[in-house]
Amino acid sequence: MNELRMSLREARLNITFEGLNGDFVEPVPFNLSDAELKALARNAIVTGGVPGIAVSRRRRDTVDLSTFVVDRFPASGPHRENRVFVRPLTPFG
Amino acid sequence: MSEQQQQQRRVVIVGVGALGSHLALFARNLPARLTLVDGDRVERKNVLSQFHTKMALGRNKAQALQQALQGLYEVRVDAVPHRLVPDNAATLLGAADVLVDCVDNAPTRMLMQEFARAHGKACLHGALSADGEYARIMWDAAFTIDQGGDGQATCEDGEHLPFIVRAAAQMAATLQQFLRTGTQVSCHLHAAGMIEIATADAVG
């Protein structure tokens, strides 16, 4: 996990896409809407801004996070920073 | 807690499809009595991604798995060949010390979550994405139920069996840790690794 300096109003953004996972390289405002966070995450994926998530150039137009879910975890206990997770739906078991 | 008390703890696994059938396989040695709950029958497509065999085709999943664990490992588990619904929730879940949600629909997850919260029971949720490359293994306090997903292709073609097995093994390890120490570790699991989401220390 990379070191990010962030304020109480910011969060670490973690993204899961097609089985790959990574943290966005910059802190994000914790109070962004789900739609704004998904748009930010999509842009980060297609521009290569998420270490650990690589999408080929010809597939960049097909990246679609519209059905994805945003989870927010405020800082608590050992987790000293706010965390936001943009992830696929998990309806199956 | 004495060994006898540990053995008497009851873990009820609801849903023994892709995740739940493999979880039962990996949880077979845990110091607890397992109960398997599922109202579905084994279909041919299931044998590609679930711990069910061709010999069990047409049989109830919970009962087929009970027989398999007995026959292969001499492990005794209880089987309930019914779907969990509000009318039987108290009967099926009331005696459980730990509820384990491996179902594939939001209403049943919600029923388990509400029952666990109303009765102060530990509840471990397992949830897979449609592409079979991502899973959430979460204790109830950190778990949100995903709506939707209807009509999405599922991982029944067997392509994602290795990841499903890995997720089930992680669930078994999470359950084992809870039974041994009382600690509840929640995580996200993806093809590239795992992220710890929350850890709740043992109570008492």
Side-chain angles (χ1 to χ4, degrees):
Chain A
M1 187 177 284
N2 60 319
E3 289 298 321
L4 288 181
R5 297 175 70 88
M6 63 182 72
S7 73
L8 294 174
R9 293 178 182 174
E10 293 178 314
R12 178 186 296 274
L13 172 61
N14 180 273
I15 303 166
T16 297
F17 180 73
E18 294 186 343
L20 303 174
N21 180 276
D23 287 342
F24 184 47
V25 292
E26 300 286 340
V28 301
F30 195 42
N31 62 354
L32 286 182
S33 69
D34 287 4
E36 289 171 321
L37 285 164
K38 286 196 276 187
L40 198 159
R42 183 192 177 281
N43 189 54
I45 291 171
V46 300
T47 58
V50 188
I53 300 181
V55 178
S56 66
R57 185 167 300 189
R58 63 186 171 83
R59 288 200 52 235
R60 287 178 183 171
D61 288 343
T62 67
V63 174
D64 179 8
L65 307 188
S66 59
T67 63
F68 276 41
V69 178
V70 176
D71 288 331
R72 298 162 198 266
F73 293 94
S76 69
H79 298 286
R80 297 181 179 177
E81 55 195 25
N82 300 319
R83 292 171 299 159
V84 173
F85 293 86
V86 175
R87 61 170 179 82
L89 279 169
T90 57
F92 299 107
Chain B
M1 186 178 288
S2 70
E3 189 174 333
Q4 188 178 10
Q5 286 173 317
Q6 286 188 356
Q7 293 291 353
Q8 288 172 346
R9 285 187 292 182
R10 300 192 76 93
V11 174
V12 177
I13 301 173
V14 182
V16 287
L19 266 184
S21 63
H22 289 103
L23 171 61
L25 174 66
F26 298 131
R28 67 184 187 271
N29 297 328
L30 296 185
R33 179 80 180 186
L34 299 183
T35 298
L36 315 176
V37 179
D38 202 312
D40 287 349
R41 294 186 178 279
V42 179
E43 299 177 60
R44 185 165 294 278
K45 63 183 180 183
N46 296 148
V47 304
L48 293 170
S49 60
Q50 304 182 11
F51 184 59
H52 295 294
T53 65
K54 285 201 298 185
M55 290 176 288
L57 289 178
R59 297 195 59 212
N60 171 266
K61 287 183 178 179
Q63 292 176 324
L65 195 51
Q66 177 191 42
Q67 187 176 34
L69 292 171
Q70 169 70 37
L72 293 171
Y73 306 109
E74 293 186 338
V75 170
R76 290 181 181 275
V77 301
D78 299 314
V80 178
H82 300 295
R83 184 182 173 89
L84 178 69
V85 293
D87 284 349
N88 63 18
T91 303
L92 299 186
L93 307 180
D97 296 296
V98 184
L99 313 181
V100 183
D101 155 23
C102 293
V103 303
D104 61 358
N105 67 90
T108 308
R109 287 195 199 280
M110 210 168 297
L111 175 59
M112 293 187 69
Q113 187 171 66
E114 287 172 357
F115 191 91
R117 292 179 180 183
H119 296 86
K121 292 184 184 293
C123 183
L124 178 64
H125 301 272
L128 284 169
S129 64
D131 64 8
E133 295 182 334
Y134 173 68
R136 291 191 299 148
I137 297 160
M138 311 276 287
W139 290 95
D140 192 59
F143 186 73
T144 54
I145 296 170
D146 287 353
Q147 303 289 340
D150 298 338
Q152 289 195 43
T154 65
C155 35
E156 286 179 337
D157 59 4
E159 180 186 357
H160 300 291
L161 180 60
F163 184 79
I164 291 167
V165 169
R166 187 171 149 218
Q170 182 61 44
M171 280 192 86
T174 299
L175 194 55
Q176 181 180 44
Q177 184 175 27
F178 174 73
L179 292 172
R180 195 174 60 223
T181 68
T183 304
Q184 297 184 348
V185 178
S186 296
C187 72
H188 289 187
L189 194 67
H190 45 82
M194 187 182 90
I195 303 173
E196 183 262 351
I197 298 296
T199 299
D201 290 336
V203 177

